[in-house]
Amino acid sequence: MSWQARALIGLMWGTLKPASTLLMRHPLALAGAARLGDLARLVQVPAPAGVSLKQEVFTACGGEWVRGGDVLDERKVVLYFHGGGYFSCSPCTHRSITWRLSAVAGRPVLALDYRQGPVHKLADSLTDALDAYECLLSRGHAAEDIIVAGDSAGGHLTLATLLALRDREMPLPSAAICMSPWADLTDSPRRENRWQDPMLPASRVRWLARRWTSGLDPRDPLVSPVHGDFTGLPPLMIVTGSTEVLRDEARRVAQRAREARVPVWYEEWPRMPHVFPILADVVPEARMAFRHMSQFLGAVAEREGSVGGTAAA
């Protein structure tokens, strides 16, 4: 474990975990955090050298195109859903992920600014994700040239999108990547890692899940994807930390996918915090995770090539 990771984890214990305990406790706090997120969108943070950003508008939401280099295959795309518990963050807060994902995937990333709570509902976020995917298809991107990815709540949205596309008999993307996915919104208590996670308090995650599932069936696969049937879904990569309070959900997603004969690339990084790839500017392990994503996408491309060759023969 790098000294950078040790230092940041220690900082999280004293800052992010207490802040999460306060924010995920009262509806007014959620509304305030969402408002701060809206104001943060107005702050213009310069992109790293060689990275370009371009704003995009869809039917009910927006987003931004992120290009992590000059030599990219513009026929292909990554559709990315940021995390934030469905009430905070935006594409601009996750650029350290999206530009690197663009670079390792060799294609532009469309980071979706989907609608979130407390004003909007889970169904609105899913509608925005499906609309964006259909928009990419209508613009001439073949389904096999699309990768869907997301972290935390965005990992939840990634899985829900895959299940919804499959159920609607729409063409599926070639692969999906989930970083620390929040996949179970039922009222089940989270006992594993509740004292080891340096960032997320288990009781507050449970409180937030209750709020977002009010009036819904929490065992509906589009609400809690971990209870879904993954049959027919594309290859899936799951990246998580060993001490995360959400780690067991990632394990269960991998197990459900394997039971459905979905190729799964599962990585559990020792002692890494929630969505640690976002720390790639300072943490070596986070940068290494993107190299592993590149290997996963290379394996997917090789698999597609072999399947295509067999079909042609």
Side-chain angles (χ1 to χ4, degrees):
M1 190 177 187
S2 67
W3 69 264
Q4 296 96 325
R6 293 178 186 274
L8 276 172
I9 288 172
L11 183 64
M12 288 177 181
W13 275 109
T15 56
L16 289 179
K17 192 151 190 174
S20 299
T21 301
L22 290 174
L23 284 177
M24 294 188 293
R25 184 173 293 276
H26 194 281
L28 290 178
L30 291 185
R35 184 60 179 164
L36 286 175
D38 291 338
L39 295 175
R41 299 169 200 268
L42 303 177
V43 179
Q44 296 299 317
V45 180
V51 176
S52 66
L53 307 171
K54 181 181 178 182
Q55 301 305 305
E56 181 66 276
V57 176
F58 291 94
T59 53
C61 62
E64 65 180 19
W65 285 101
V66 183
R67 291 175 169 83
D70 297 325
V71 184
L72 301 176
D73 190 342
E74 294 290 333
R75 298 169 302 173
K76 301 181 178 181
V77 63
V78 176
L79 178 58
Y80 192 82
F81 308 128
H82 67 81
Y86 279 116
F87 71 92
S88 66
C89 297
S90 68
C92 69
T93 62
H94 283 62
R95 286 173 182 163
S96 63
I97 288 179
T98 52
W99 80 255
R100 287 180 171 87
L101 193 52
S102 171
V104 300
R107 63 186 74 189
V109 169
L110 176 58
L112 191 66
D113 195 7
Y114 57 89
R115 291 173 292 174
Q116 301 186 86
V119 176
H120 301 287
K121 300 182 182 300
L122 289 178
D124 297 322
S125 303
L126 181 57
T127 295
D128 291 344
L130 294 172
D131 284 349
Y133 186 83
E134 290 186 40
C135 183
L136 291 175
L137 294 178
S138 68
R139 293 185 182 187
H141 292 284
E144 58 267 24
D145 290 334
I146 300 174
I147 297 167
V148 180
D151 67 276
S152 193
H156 174 280
L157 190 53
T158 296
L159 296 170
T161 298
L162 293 176
L163 293 172
L165 290 172
R166 192 272 318 275
D167 292 347
R168 297 183 182 193
E169 298 184 350
M170 293 184 62
L172 294 173
S174 62
I177 299 174
C178 292
M179 303 171 220
S180 303
W182 185 23
D184 187 355
L185 273 64
T186 63
D187 197 32
S188 303
R190 293 171 172 81
R191 296 185 175 89
E192 294 295 327
N193 288 340
R194 63 180 306 165
W195 305 118
Q196 287 77 34
D197 192 312
M199 182 176 173
L200 296 179
S203 62
R204 297 301 91 203
V205 174
R206 189 180 184 187
W207 177 85
L208 194 61
R210 289 173 181 169
R211 179 165 179 79
W212 295 154
T213 59
S214 178
L216 302 174
D217 176 6
R219 296 185 67 86
D220 182 333
L222 298 185
V223 177
S224 293
V226 74
H227 295 291
D229 175 7
F230 286 27
T231 301
L233 296 191
L236 181 64
M237 181 178 190
I238 303 170
V239 180
T240 188
S242 67
T243 54
E244 285 196 55
V245 75
L246 300 183
R247 181 203 61 192
D248 281 8
E249 295 172 38
R251 287 181 176 180
R252 290 162 61 200
V253 167
Q255 180 181 352
R256 295 282 292 181
R258 286 170 175 151
E259 288 172 353
R261 300 184 179 276
V262 173
V264 178
W265 183 305
Y266 178 81
E267 294 192 352
E268 189 173 297
W269 289 67
R271 298 178 60 190
M272 286 296 107
H274 185 60
V275 194
F276 72 92
I278 202 170
L279 304 173
D281 288 342
V282 291
V283 174
E285 291 92 335
R287 292 191 291 274
M288 189 181 299
F290 285 97
R291 294 198 289 272
H292 290 204
M293 293 179 205
S294 177
Q295 294 170 6
F296 164 71
L297 295 176
V300 169
E302 183 178 345
R303 177 177 179 271
E304 290 178 341
S306 63
V307 170
T310 301

